[in-house]
Amino acid sequence: MLESDQFEVAVLGSGTGGYTAAIRAAQLGKKTAIIEVAKLGGTCLHIGCIPTKALLESSGLYHKLHDRGQEFGILAPEVAFDYDRIASRRDGVVNQLWKGVQGLMRKNRIEVIYGCGLLEGDGRIRIGDRVIQASAIIVATGSSPKPLPGIQFDGERVINSDHATLAGKLPESVAIIGAGAVGVEFATFYRQMGCTVTLIEALDRLVPLEDEEVSRALLQAFQKAGIDCRVKARVLDARPGRGQVTVQLEDGELRASQLLIAVGRGPNSQGVGLEAAGVEVDQRGFVKVDEWMRTSAPGVWAIGDLVGGYLLAHAAAHEGVIAAEDIAGRRLHPMEQELVTRCTYSTPEIASVGLTEAEARERGYEVKVGKFPLVANARAIIHGETQGFGKVVADARTGQLLGAHVVGVQATELIAEPALARLFQGDPWEIGRNIHPHPTLSETIGEAALAADGVALNI
Ligand code: NAD
């Protein structure tokens, strides 16, 4: 085999997990290749986190000016939107970051090989006619939206998050099945843009993986915003027709111009050659890995959505760093799911880390809880965004922070502080001692931490 086809590390898939793994491997002196069938940057950059947050930036601004401008003394009676420009700004944001990733590959001398990579075993990867050899392989092929059995995506009436993200126009009305991250983010976007929105969730609350109080706060905010939320709702069938979709629920039917199915994502584990490489997957197709991201096959690591856990870009990137460091013989820290921050960019935003209150009790902790409402925070009042709260969950016996939950404006920025406190195995008492700048939303976290010991100052 030619020397140019031999690498120390080959990464299959260039999403946030894959390209971060490649950068870390190259930083550690490894001759690295990355293989990508589509565009560098993967789901997060092209059809996920980035374009959807760009859309939400436009919808949030439109909503604030259109529906609340006068409250802030802004008189702009003609506030309107041009969806083509919203879409081209979305694409501009993506392109800017895409160029950035391409530049990072060049800067780190990572060879980018375009094409569909297939593992052949013994460190070989076939990309079309070319076969490369790598001492270590990191598989990072990601995930795809799951369909609902019996209901086909047609990309027009019945769509998934890929279609919704890249759409060139808005539906008049939309029904969304699933109130996880995708469902509540798109419910926010469509509602802020003035569409009629029905949100259908099978379980008994929105964002069922979050703390129960967070779900309640979101439900209240969504209802106030005019989103029709149906929980404990079973979808029996959906039929696209002329100009609309009819969704059959157990307790009646509803019609909307579009149906967005947001019931989770499944691993891209087919057609990768996992079997040939001896990589074991679980019943749902997720690759089994240990806390160093090693698979069952020597010389093969796997990261990101492909391995399950939290299907989040920042978790994937972190796993990529762990895998690359392990390959280079530097076991610095294992992957810990409980340190992954979870962020949902609905309005209000939701962010969390560690255990919910219910999970902490289920695990047998004697729990103490501190909560502080945004309505008592000066900056939130200035923003005119007083819905929500910060909440910390701690072990009453040792004082240690177990989890933190924020629902409200900029929750996704605020979670970094309690996440760091968890990493340092800190206590709410220490967060409370941190001198938070005033007036900032971050004071909500400090006050919630103080509240865990009954000494919040501003409530
Ligand atoms: P999800 O698993 O987060 O939520 C799916 C929801 O659909 C659940 O609440 C589930 O109970 C519900 N559901 C399932 N079947 C149903 C049915 N037949 N009828 C009604 N409800 C049903 O999945 P998602 O929202 O599609 O997101 C996919 C993945 O992508 C998740 O892992 C998510 O964390 C990730 N993601 C993250 C972000 C973010 O972090 N901001 C944004 C988008 C997606």
Side-chain angles (χ1 to χ4, degrees):
M1 185 174 276
L2 295 171
E3 206 193 319
S4 57
D5 289 329
Q6 291 174 27
F7 296 89
E8 288 171 288
V9 178
V11 184
L12 190 53
S14 75
T16 311
Y19 79 69
T20 307
I23 292 171
R24 190 73 187 111
Q27 282 176 339
L28 291 166
K30 301 287 175 193
K31 184 185 174 197
T32 304
I34 192 161
I35 301 143
E36 172 55 56
V37 67
K39 293 176 180 173
L40 277 175
T43 298
C44 164
L45 178 53
H46 296 284
I47 42 171
C49 325
I50 303 300
T52 54
K53 265 81 267 178
L55 290 175
L56 283 161
E57 195 65 31
S58 288
S59 68
L61 187 59
Y62 169 68
H63 164 66
K64 200 149 189 173
L65 285 175
H66 184 268
D67 299 325
R68 299 184 57 193
Q70 294 201 13
E71 187 187 324
F72 292 83
I74 311 296
L75 303 182
E78 295 294 316
V79 177
F81 64 81
D82 174 342
Y83 201 84
D84 286 347
R85 291 199 210 178
I86 291 177
S88 66
R89 181 173 187 277
R90 169 200 67 195
D91 298 343
V93 169
V94 169
N95 282 333
Q96 186 177 341
L97 290 165
W98 184 27
K99 282 198 190 103
V101 178
Q102 294 168 42
L104 285 169
M105 296 300 102
R106 282 193 298 273
K107 178 187 158 201
N108 288 286
R109 299 198 167 77
I110 295 161
E111 181 171 339
V112 181
I113 304 171
Y114 287 102
C116 186
L118 185 68
L119 304 183
E120 292 192 327
D122 297 327
R124 280 192 317 278
I125 306 178
R126 172 174 294 282
I127 311 109
D129 294 337
R130 184 175 177 192
V131 178
I132 65 164
Q133 177 84 38
S135 324
I137 295 173
I138 302 175
V139 191
T141 49
S143 66
S144 305
K146 281 199 290 203
L148 260 186
I151 306 175
Q152 304 293 324
F153 296 123
D154 62 15
E156 287 220 4
R157 296 271 157 234
V158 183
I159 61 170
N160 59 33
S161 59
D162 297 356
H163 306 119
T165 304
L166 299 179
K169 58 182 192 319
L170 277 176
E172 233 169 73
S173 57
V174 61
I176 302 175
I177 303 182
V182 171
V184 302
E185 286 184 2
F186 273 104
T188 297
F189 171 69
Y190 288 128
R191 188 66 203 123
Q192 287 181 333
M193 297 302 294
C195 309
T196 304
V197 180
T198 310
L199 183 59
I200 302 159
E201 167 59 49
L203 298 180
D204 61 356
R205 57 195 178 97
L206 308 184
V207 286
L209 296 180
E210 297 292 345
D211 192 271
E212 285 173 31
E213 287 190 275
V214 169
S215 293
R216 275 203 292 279
L218 186 71
L219 178 66
Q220 260 178 13
F222 269 19
Q223 285 174 334
K224 197 168 162 214
I227 297 170
D228 180 3
C229 299
R230 318 260 182 109
V231 292
K232 283 203 246 176
R234 234 167 75 83
V235 177
L236 303 176
D237 194 20
R239 289 274 160 257
R242 278 168 73 98
Q244 62 179 15
V245 192
T246 307
V247 182
Q248 198 71 47
L249 297 169
E250 223 167 21
D251 59 352
E253 64 176 34
L254 64 92
R255 292 194 175 82
S257 20
Q258 227 169 27
L259 173 66
L260 168 61
I261 296 182
V263 296
R265 299 178 68 90
N268 292 336
S269 47
Q270 298 290 323
V272 179
L274 293 176
E275 228 177 270
V279 174
E280 276 179 32
V281 297
D282 70 14
Q283 281 174 332
R284 295 180 306 157
F286 290 106
V287 171
K288 292 187 194 171
V289 286
D290 66 11
E291 71 271 37
W292 305 100
M293 314 318 296
R294 289 184 175 209
T295 69
S296 55
V300 183
W301 283 251
I303 61 167
D305 288 7
L306 183 67
V307 305
Y310 293 112
L311 309 193
L312 300 171
H314 48 280
H318 192 72
E319 290 168 354
V321 169
I322 291 173
E325 289 176 347
D326 189 34
I327 288 166
R330 298 193 186 192
R331 287 197 161 186
L332 298 180
H333 52 91
M335 183 61 197
E336 288 179 71
Q337 291 289 330
E338 277 181 23
L339 294 178
V340 176
T341 46
R342 287 97 59 178
C343 292
T344 307
Y345 299 77
S346 45
T347 296
E349 289 190 351
I350 297 167
S352 55
V353 65
L355 304 183
T356 64
E357 186 179 343
E359 283 166 349
R361 292 192 196 286
E362 273 161 29
R363 291 204 195 174
Y365 286 105
E366 193 183 308
V367 171
K368 67 176 178 183
V369 167
K371 242 179 96 177
F372 191 82
L374 283 175
V375 74
N377 174 276
R379 193 69 188 275
I381 295 171
I382 294 164
H383 282 310
E385 304 282 357
T386 53
Q387 282 176 333
F389 57 81
K391 173 174 176 176
V392 301
V393 178
D395 181 344
R397 274 186 287 247
T398 63
Q400 203 171 331
L401 180 70
L402 300 172
H405 308 273
V406 191
V407 54
V409 61
Q410 301 216 12
T412 55
E413 299 289 343
L414 296 179
I415 201 65
E417 183 190 8
L420 191 65
R422 259 221 73 160
L423 177 69
F424 291 170
Q425 299 178 350
D427 296 354
W429 181 82
E430 289 160 313
I431 300 177
R433 278 211 58 197
N434 187 14
I435 304 170
H436 294 85
H438 178 73
T440 63
L441 296 167
S442 73
E443 291 170 285
T444 307
I445 303 299
E447 289 276 27
L450 289 173
D453 292 320
V455 292
L457 294 162
N458 287 285
I459 194 143

